[in-house]
Coordinates of all heavy atoms in Angstrom, one line a residue:
A1 N 113.9 89.9 103.0 CA 112.8 90.8 103.2 C 111.5 90.3 102.5 O 110.4 90.4 103.0 CB 113.1 92.2 102.8
L2 N 111.7 89.8 101.3 CA 110.6 89.3 100.5 C 109.9 88.1 101.1 O 108.7 88.0 101.2 CB 111.0 89.0 99.1 CG 109.8 88.6 98.1 CD1 108.8 89.7 98.1 CD2 110.4 88.4 96.7
N3 N 110.7 87.2 101.6 CA 110.2 86.0 102.3 C 109.4 86.4 103.6 O 108.4 85.8 103.9 CB 111.3 85.0 102.6 CG 111.8 84.3 101.4 OD1 111.1 84.2 100.4 ND2 113.0 83.8 101.5
A4 N 109.9 87.4 104.3 CA 109.2 87.9 105.5 C 107.9 88.5 105.1 O 106.9 88.3 105.8 CB 110.1 88.9 106.3
L5 N 107.9 89.3 104.0 CA 106.6 89.9 103.6 C 105.6 88.8 103.2 O 104.5 88.9 103.6 CB 106.9 90.8 102.4 CG 105.7 91.4 101.7 CD1 104.9 92.3 102.7 CD2 106.1 92.2 100.5
K6 N 106.1 87.8 102.4 CA 105.2 86.7 102.0 C 104.6 86.0 103.2 O 103.4 85.8 103.3 CB 105.9 85.7 101.1 CG 106.2 86.2 99.7 CD 106.6 85.0 98.9 CE 108.1 85.1 98.6 NZ 108.6 84.0 97.7
A7 N 105.4 85.7 104.2 CA 105.0 85.0 105.4 C 104.0 85.9 106.2 O 102.9 85.4 106.6 CB 106.1 84.7 106.3
S8 N 104.2 87.2 106.2 CA 103.3 88.1 106.9 C 102.0 88.2 106.2 O 100.9 88.2 106.8 CB 104.0 89.5 107.1 OG 103.1 90.3 107.7
L9 N 102.0 88.2 104.9 CA 100.8 88.3 104.1 C 99.9 87.0 104.3 O 98.7 87.1 104.5 CB 101.1 88.5 102.6 CG 101.5 89.9 102.2 CD1 102.0 89.9 100.8 CD2 100.4 90.9 102.4
V10 N 100.6 85.9 104.3 CA 99.8 84.6 104.5 C 99.2 84.7 105.9 O 98.0 84.4 106.1 CB 100.8 83.4 104.4 CG1 100.1 82.1 104.9 CG2 101.2 83.2 102.9
R11 N 99.9 85.1 106.9 CA 99.4 85.2 108.3 C 98.3 86.2 108.4 O 97.3 85.9 109.0 CB 100.5 85.5 109.3 CG 101.5 84.4 109.4 CD 102.7 84.8 110.3 NE 103.7 83.7 110.3 CZ 105.0 84.0 110.3 NH1 105.4 85.2 110.3 NH2 105.8 83.0 110.3
F12 N 98.5 87.3 107.7 CA 97.4 88.4 107.8 C 96.1 87.9 107.1 O 95.1 88.0 107.7 CB 97.8 89.7 107.1 CG 96.7 90.6 107.1 CD1 96.2 91.3 108.2 CD2 96.0 90.8 105.9 CE1 95.1 92.1 108.2 CE2 94.9 91.6 105.8 CZ 94.4 92.3 107.0
F13 N 96.3 87.2 105.9 CA 95.1 86.8 105.2 C 94.4 85.7 106.1 O 93.2 85.6 106.1 CB 95.4 86.3 103.8 CG 95.4 87.4 102.8 CD1 96.6 87.9 102.4 CD2 94.2 87.8 102.3 CE1 96.6 89.0 101.5 CE2 94.2 88.9 101.4 CZ 95.4 89.4 101.0
Q14 N 95.2 84.8 106.7 CA 94.6 83.8 107.6 C 93.8 84.5 108.7 O 92.6 84.2 109.0 CB 95.6 82.9 108.2 CG 95.0 81.9 109.2 CD 96.1 81.1 109.9 OE1 97.3 81.5 109.9 NE2 95.7 80.1 110.6
F15 N 94.3 85.6 109.3 CA 93.7 86.3 110.4 C 92.4 87.0 109.8 O 91.4 87.0 110.4 CB 94.7 87.4 110.9 CG 94.1 88.5 111.7 CD1 93.6 88.3 113.0 CD2 94.0 89.8 111.1 CE1 93.1 89.3 113.7 CE2 93.4 90.8 111.9 CZ 93.0 90.6 113.2
A16 N 92.6 87.7 108.7 CA 91.5 88.5 108.1 C 90.3 87.6 107.7 O 89.2 88.1 107.8 CB 92.0 89.4 107.0
L17 N 90.6 86.4 107.2 CA 89.6 85.5 106.8 C 89.1 84.6 107.9 O 88.3 83.7 107.6 CB 90.1 84.7 105.6 CG 90.5 85.5 104.4 CD1 91.2 84.7 103.3 CD2 89.3 86.3 103.8
T18 N 89.5 84.8 109.1 CA 89.1 84.1 110.2 C 89.4 82.6 110.1 O 88.6 81.7 110.5 CB 87.7 84.4 110.7 OG1 86.8 84.0 109.6 CG2 87.5 85.8 111.0
C19 N 90.5 82.2 109.5 CA 90.9 80.8 109.3 C 91.5 80.3 110.6 O 92.1 81.1 111.3 CB 91.9 80.7 108.2 SG 91.3 81.2 106.6
N20 N 91.4 79.0 110.8 CA 92.0 78.4 112.0 C 92.9 77.3 111.6 O 93.0 76.3 112.3 CB 90.9 78.0 113.0 CG 90.0 77.0 112.4 OD1 90.1 76.6 111.3 ND2 88.9 76.7 113.2
D21 N 93.6 77.4 110.5 CA 94.5 76.3 110.0 C 95.8 76.4 110.9 O 96.5 77.3 110.9 CB 94.9 76.6 108.6 CG 95.8 75.6 108.0 OD1 96.4 74.8 108.7 OD2 96.0 75.6 106.8
S22 N 96.0 75.3 111.7 CA 97.1 75.3 112.6 C 98.5 75.1 111.9 O 99.5 75.2 112.5 CB 96.9 74.2 113.6 OG 96.9 73.0 113.0
S23 N 98.4 74.9 110.6 CA 99.7 74.8 109.8 C 100.4 76.1 109.6 O 101.5 76.2 109.2 CB 99.5 74.0 108.5 OG 98.8 74.8 107.6
V24 N 99.6 77.2 109.8 CA 100.2 78.6 109.5 C 100.4 79.2 110.9 O 99.5 79.2 111.7 CB 99.2 79.4 108.7 CG1 99.7 80.8 108.5 CG2 99.0 78.7 107.3
V25 N 101.5 79.8 111.1 CA 101.8 80.5 112.3 C 100.8 81.7 112.5 O 100.6 82.4 111.5 CB 103.3 81.0 112.3 CG1 103.5 81.9 113.6 CG2 104.2 79.9 112.2
A26 N 100.3 81.9 113.6 CA 99.3 82.9 113.9 C 99.9 84.3 113.6 O 101.0 84.6 113.9 CB 98.8 82.9 115.3
Y27 N 99.0 85.2 113.0 CA 99.4 86.6 112.7 C 99.4 87.3 114.1 O 98.4 87.2 114.8 CB 98.3 87.2 111.8 CG 98.6 88.6 111.5 CD1 99.6 89.1 110.7 CD2 97.8 89.6 112.1 CE1 99.8 90.4 110.4 CE2 97.9 91.0 111.8 CZ 99.0 91.4 111.0 OH 99.2 92.7 110.8
N28 N 100.5 88.0 114.3 CA 100.5 88.8 115.6 C 100.9 90.2 115.3 O 101.3 90.9 116.2 CB 101.5 88.1 116.6 CG 102.9 88.1 116.0 OD1 103.2 88.5 114.9 ND2 103.8 87.5 116.8
G29 N 100.7 90.7 114.1 CA 101.0 92.1 113.8 C 99.8 92.9 114.1 O 98.8 92.5 114.6
P30 N 99.9 94.2 113.7 CA 98.8 95.1 114.0 C 97.5 94.8 113.2 O 97.6 94.3 112.1 CB 99.3 96.5 113.6 CG 100.7 96.3 113.0 CD 101.0 94.8 113.1
S31 N 96.4 95.0 113.8 CA 95.1 94.7 113.1 C 94.6 96.0 112.5 O 93.8 96.0 111.6 CB 94.1 94.2 114.1 OG 93.8 95.1 115.1
N32 N 95.2 97.2 112.8 CA 94.9 98.4 112.2 C 95.7 98.6 110.9 O 96.9 99.0 111.0 CB 95.1 99.6 113.2 CG 94.7 100.9 112.7 OD1 94.8 101.2 111.5 ND2 94.2 101.8 113.5
M33 N 95.1 98.4 109.8 CA 95.8 98.5 108.5 C 96.2 100.0 108.2 O 97.2 100.2 107.5 CB 94.9 98.0 107.4 CG 94.8 96.5 107.5 SD 96.3 95.5 107.4 CE 96.7 95.2 109.1
G34 N 95.6 100.9 108.8 CA 96.0 102.3 108.7 C 97.4 102.5 109.2 O 98.2 103.2 108.7
T35 N 97.6 101.9 110.4 CA 99.0 102.0 111.0 C 100.0 101.4 110.2 O 101.1 101.9 110.0 CB 98.9 101.3 112.4 OG1 97.9 102.0 113.2 CG2 100.3 101.4 113.1
V36 N 99.7 100.2 109.7 CA 100.7 99.4 108.9 C 101.1 100.1 107.6 O 102.2 100.1 107.2 CB 100.1 98.0 108.6 CG1 101.0 97.2 107.6 CG2 99.9 97.2 109.8
H37 N 100.1 100.7 106.9 CA 100.3 101.3 105.6 C 100.4 102.8 105.5 O 100.4 103.4 104.5 CB 99.1 100.8 104.7 CG 99.1 99.3 104.5 ND1 98.3 98.5 105.3 CD2 99.7 98.5 103.7 CE1 98.5 97.3 105.0 NE2 99.3 97.2 104.0
A38 N 100.5 103.4 106.7 CA 100.4 104.9 106.8 C 101.4 105.6 105.9 O 101.1 106.6 105.2 CB 100.6 105.4 108.2
Q39 N 102.6 105.1 105.8 CA 103.7 105.8 105.0 C 103.8 105.3 103.6 O 104.7 105.7 102.9 CB 105.0 105.7 105.8 CG 104.9 106.2 107.2 CD 104.6 107.7 107.2 OE1 105.0 108.5 106.4 NE2 103.7 108.1 108.2
M40 N 103.0 104.4 103.2 CA 103.2 103.7 101.9 C 102.5 104.4 100.7 O 102.8 104.1 99.5 CB 102.7 102.3 102.0 CG 103.5 101.5 102.9 SD 102.9 99.8 102.9 CE 103.8 99.1 104.2
Q41 N 101.6 105.3 100.9 CA 100.9 106.1 99.8 C 100.4 105.1 98.8 O 100.6 105.2 97.6 CB 101.8 107.1 99.2 CG 102.3 108.1 100.2 CD 103.2 109.2 99.6 OE1 103.8 109.0 98.5 NE2 103.4 110.3 100.3
I42 N 99.6 104.2 99.2 CA 99.0 103.2 98.3 C 97.7 103.8 97.7 O 96.8 104.2 98.4 CB 98.6 101.9 99.1 CG1 99.9 101.3 99.6 CG2 97.9 100.9 98.2 CD1 99.7 100.1 100.6
S43 N 97.7 103.8 96.4 CA 96.5 104.4 95.7 C 95.4 103.3 95.5 O 95.7 102.1 95.7 CB 96.9 104.9 94.3 OG 97.2 103.8 93.4
R44 N 94.3 103.7 95.1 CA 93.2 102.7 94.8 C 93.6 101.8 93.7 O 93.3 100.6 93.8 CB 91.9 103.5 94.5 CG 90.7 102.6 94.2 CD 90.3 101.8 95.4 NE 88.9 101.4 95.3 CZ 88.4 100.6 96.1 NH1 89.1 100.0 97.1 NH2 87.1 100.3 96.1
N45 N 94.3 102.3 92.7 CA 94.8 101.5 91.6 C 95.8 100.4 92.1 O 95.7 99.3 91.7 CB 95.4 102.3 90.5 CG 94.3 103.1 89.7 OD1 93.2 102.7 89.7 ND2 94.8 104.1 89.0
D46 N 96.7 100.8 93.0 CA 97.7 99.9 93.6 C 96.9 98.8 94.3 O 97.2 97.6 94.2 CB 98.6 100.6 94.5 CG 99.5 101.6 93.8 OD1 99.8 101.5 92.6 OD2 100.0 102.6 94.5
Y47 N 96.0 99.2 95.1 CA 95.2 98.3 96.0 C 94.5 97.3 95.1 O 94.5 96.1 95.3 CB 94.2 99.1 96.8 CG 93.4 98.4 97.8 CD1 93.9 98.0 99.0 CD2 92.1 98.0 97.5 CE1 93.2 97.3 99.9 CE2 91.3 97.3 98.4 CZ 91.9 97.0 99.6 OH 91.1 96.3 100.5
N48 N 93.8 97.8 94.1 CA 93.1 96.9 93.2 C 94.0 96.0 92.4 O 93.6 94.8 92.2 CB 92.2 97.8 92.2 CG 91.1 98.4 92.9 OD1 90.6 98.1 93.9 ND2 90.6 99.5 92.2
A49 N 95.1 96.5 92.0 CA 96.1 95.6 91.2 C 96.6 94.5 92.1 O 96.7 93.3 91.7 CB 97.2 96.5 90.7
F50 N 97.0 94.8 93.4 CA 97.4 93.8 94.3 C 96.4 92.7 94.5 O 96.6 91.5 94.4 CB 97.8 94.4 95.6 CG 98.2 93.4 96.7 CD1 99.5 92.8 96.7 CD2 97.3 93.0 97.6 CE1 99.8 91.8 97.6 CE2 97.6 92.0 98.6 CZ 98.8 91.4 98.6
N51 N 95.1 93.2 94.8 CA 94.0 92.3 95.0 C 93.7 91.4 93.8 O 93.4 90.2 93.9 CB 92.8 93.0 95.5 CG 93.0 93.6 96.9 OD1 93.8 93.1 97.6 ND2 92.3 94.7 97.2
A52 N 93.8 92.0 92.6 CA 93.6 91.2 91.4 C 94.6 90.1 91.3 O 94.2 88.9 90.9 CB 93.7 92.1 90.1
I53 N 95.8 90.3 91.7 CA 96.9 89.2 91.7 C 96.4 88.1 92.7 O 96.5 86.9 92.4 CB 98.2 89.8 92.1 CG1 98.7 90.7 90.9 CG2 99.2 88.7 92.4 CD1 99.9 91.5 91.3
V54 N 96.0 88.5 93.9 CA 95.5 87.6 94.9 C 94.4 86.7 94.3 O 94.4 85.5 94.4 CB 95.1 88.3 96.2 CG1 94.4 87.3 97.1 CG2 96.3 88.9 96.8
Y55 N 93.4 87.4 93.7 CA 92.2 86.7 93.2 C 92.6 85.7 92.0 O 92.1 84.6 92.0 CB 91.1 87.6 92.7 CG 90.7 88.6 93.8 CD1 90.4 89.9 93.4 CD2 90.6 88.3 95.1 CE1 90.1 90.9 94.4 CE2 90.3 89.3 96.1 CZ 90.0 90.5 95.7 OH 89.7 91.5 96.6
E56 N 93.5 86.2 91.2 CA 94.0 85.3 90.1 C 94.7 84.1 90.7 O 94.5 83.0 90.2 CB 94.9 86.1 89.2 CG 95.4 85.3 88.0 CD 96.3 86.0 87.1 OE1 96.5 87.2 87.3 OE2 96.7 85.4 86.1
F57 N 95.5 84.3 91.7 CA 96.3 83.2 92.3 C 95.3 82.2 92.9 O 95.5 81.0 92.7 CB 97.2 83.8 93.4 CG 98.0 82.8 94.1 CD1 99.1 82.2 93.6 CD2 97.6 82.4 95.4 CE1 99.8 81.2 94.3 CE2 98.3 81.5 96.1 CZ 99.4 80.9 95.6
L58 N 94.3 82.7 93.6 CA 93.3 81.8 94.1 C 92.6 81.0 93.0 O 92.4 79.8 93.2 CB 92.3 82.6 95.0 CG 92.8 83.2 96.3 CD1 91.8 84.1 96.9 CD2 93.4 82.1 97.2
G59 N 92.2 81.7 92.0 CA 91.6 81.0 90.8 C 92.5 79.9 90.2 O 92.0 78.8 89.9
N60 N 93.8 80.2 90.1 CA 94.7 79.2 89.6 C 94.9 78.0 90.5 O 95.3 77.0 90.1 CB 96.1 79.9 89.4 CG 96.1 80.9 88.2 OD1 95.2 80.8 87.4 ND2 97.0 81.8 88.2
L61 N 94.5 78.2 91.8 CA 94.6 77.1 92.7 C 93.2 76.3 92.7 O 93.0 75.5 93.6 CB 94.9 77.6 94.2 CG 96.3 78.1 94.4 CD1 96.4 78.7 95.8 CD2 97.3 77.1 94.2
S62 N 92.3 76.7 91.8 CA 91.0 76.1 91.7 C 90.1 76.4 92.9 O 89.2 75.6 93.3 CB 91.1 74.6 91.5 OG 91.8 74.3 90.3
V63 N 90.3 77.5 93.6 CA 89.5 78.0 94.7 C 88.1 78.4 94.0 O 88.1 79.0 92.9 CB 90.1 79.1 95.4 CG1 89.1 79.7 96.4 CG2 91.4 78.7 96.1
S64 N 87.0 78.0 94.7 CA 85.7 78.3 94.1 C 85.4 79.8 94.0 O 86.0 80.6 94.8 CB 84.6 77.6 95.0 OG 84.5 78.3 96.2
T65 N 84.6 80.1 93.0 CA 84.2 81.5 92.9 C 83.5 82.1 94.1 O 83.8 83.2 94.5 CB 83.3 81.7 91.7 OG1 83.9 81.2 90.5 CG2 82.8 83.1 91.4
T66 N 82.8 81.2 94.8 CA 82.1 81.6 96.0 C 83.1 82.0 97.1 O 83.0 83.1 97.7 CB 81.2 80.5 96.6 OG1 80.3 80.1 95.6 CG2 80.6 80.8 97.9
L67 N 84.2 81.2 97.2 CA 85.2 81.5 98.2 C 86.0 82.8 97.8 O 86.3 83.6 98.6 CB 86.1 80.3 98.5 CG 87.1 80.5 99.6 CD1 86.5 80.9 100.9 CD2 87.9 79.2 99.8
I68 N 86.3 82.9 96.5 CA 87.0 84.1 96.0 C 86.2 85.3 96.3 O 86.8 86.3 96.8 CB 87.4 83.9 94.5 CG1 88.5 82.8 94.4 CG2 87.9 85.3 94.0 CD1 88.8 82.5 92.9
N69 N 84.9 85.2 96.1 CA 84.1 86.4 96.4 C 84.0 86.7 97.9 O 83.9 87.9 98.3 CB 82.7 86.2 95.8 CG 82.6 86.3 94.3 OD1 83.5 86.9 93.7 ND2 81.7 85.7 93.7
F70 N 84.1 85.7 98.7 CA 84.2 85.9 100.2 C 85.5 86.6 100.5 O 85.4 87.6 101.3 CB 84.1 84.5 100.9 CG 84.4 84.7 102.4 CD1 83.4 85.2 103.2 CD2 85.6 84.3 102.9 CE1 83.7 85.3 104.6 CE2 85.9 84.4 104.3 CZ 84.9 84.9 105.1
V71 N 86.6 86.2 99.9 CA 87.9 86.9 100.1 C 87.8 88.3 99.7 O 88.2 89.2 100.4 CB 89.0 86.1 99.4 CG1 90.3 86.9 99.4 CG2 89.2 84.7 100.0
R72 N 87.2 88.5 98.5 CA 87.0 89.9 98.0 C 86.3 90.8 98.9 O 86.7 91.9 99.2 CB 86.3 89.8 96.6 CG 86.2 91.1 95.9 CD 85.4 91.0 94.6 NE 85.7 89.8 93.8 CZ 86.7 89.7 92.8 NH1 87.4 90.8 92.6 NH2 86.9 88.6 92.2
G73 N 85.2 90.2 99.5 CA 84.4 91.0 100.5 C 85.2 91.4 101.7 O 85.1 92.5 102.2
R74 N 86.0 90.4 102.2 CA 86.8 90.6 103.4 C 87.9 91.6 103.1 O 88.1 92.5 103.9 CB 87.4 89.3 104.0 CG 86.4 88.3 104.5 CD 85.7 88.8 105.7 NE 86.7 88.9 106.8 CZ 86.4 88.9 108.0 NH1 85.1 88.9 108.4 NH2 87.3 89.0 109.0
V75 N 88.5 91.5 102.0 CA 89.6 92.4 101.7 C 89.1 93.8 101.5 O 89.8 94.8 101.9 CB 90.3 91.9 100.4 CG1 91.3 92.9 99.8 CG2 91.1 90.6 100.7
N76 N 88.0 93.9 100.9 CA 87.4 95.3 100.7 C 87.1 96.0 102.0 O 87.0 97.2 102.0 CB 86.2 95.2 99.8 CG 86.7 95.1 98.3 OD1 87.8 95.4 97.9 ND2 85.8 94.5 97.5
T77 N 86.9 95.3 103.1 CA 86.6 95.9 104.4 C 87.8 96.7 104.9 O 87.6 97.5 105.8 CB 86.1 94.9 105.4 OG1 87.2 94.0 105.7 CG2 84.9 94.1 105.0
V78 N 89.0 96.4 104.5 CA 90.2 97.1 105.0 C 90.7 98.2 104.1 O 91.7 98.9 104.3 CB 91.4 96.1 105.3 CG1 91.0 95.1 106.3 CG2 91.9 95.5 104.0
Y79 N 90.0 98.5 103.0 CA 90.4 99.5 102.0 C 90.7 100.8 102.6 O 91.7 101.4 102.4 CB 89.4 99.6 100.9 CG 89.6 100.9 100.0 CD1 90.7 100.9 99.1 CD2 88.9 102.0 100.2 CE1 90.9 102.0 98.4 CE2 89.2 103.2 99.5 CZ 90.2 103.1 98.6 OH 90.5 104.3 97.8
N80 N 89.8 101.3 103.4 CA 89.9 102.6 104.0 C 91.2 102.7 104.9 O 91.8 103.8 105.1 CB 88.7 103.1 104.8 CG 87.6 103.4 103.8 OD1 87.8 103.8 102.7 ND2 86.4 103.2 104.3
G81 N 91.6 101.6 105.5 CA 92.8 101.7 106.3 C 94.1 101.6 105.5 O 95.1 102.1 105.9
V82 N 94.0 101.0 104.3 CA 95.2 100.8 103.5 C 95.5 102.1 102.6 O 96.6 102.5 102.5 CB 95.1 99.6 102.6 CG1 96.2 99.4 101.7 CG2 95.0 98.3 103.5
C83 N 94.4 102.6 102.1 CA 94.6 103.7 101.1 C 94.3 105.1 101.7 O 93.5 105.2 102.6 CB 93.7 103.5 99.9 SG 94.0 101.9 99.0

């Protein structure tokens, strides 16, 4: 289950960030994050903590601050659907 979640997250982030890297299988899940997360009761703190892990991971990969800020902006657009 954890591997499936990881794969789905990679695919979703590729979709959300409008990447076209053909090495990643295309995301074919729902685009409505409200539908996906409706029963999860994710708080703003949970959301922020998860995203902080993503940003730290990207930083550890030497992703530029500019690109991390782009990711932050895109991720924040789905907040209302997730929480």
Side-chain angles (χ1 to χ4, degrees):
L2 184 56
N3 286 338
L5 175 60
K6 285 192 256 184
S8 181
L9 285 171
V10 168
R11 291 177 188 139
F12 172 75
F13 275 99
Q14 178 188 10
F15 163 77
L17 299 172
T18 63
C19 297
N20 58 4
D21 182 347
S22 62
S23 70
V24 178
V25 176
Y27 176 75
N28 61 1
S31 59
N32 181 326
M33 292 297 99
T35 301
V36 174
H37 298 92
Q39 302 301 318
M40 295 183 187
Q41 299 179 343
I42 298 171
S43 71
R44 179 63 154 169
N45 288 338
D46 295 334
Y47 184 81
N48 290 339
F50 174 82
N51 291 335
I53 292 167
V54 171
Y55 307 142
E56 180 180 359
F57 178 77
L58 293 173
N60 291 339
L61 293 174
S62 300
V63 172
S64 71
T65 301
T66 300
L67 186 52
I68 292 171
N69 287 337
F70 172 76
V71 170
R72 188 183 314 270
R74 295 292 294 198
V75 165
N76 284 335
T77 65
V78 299
Y79 167 74
N80 288 331
V82 173
C83 300

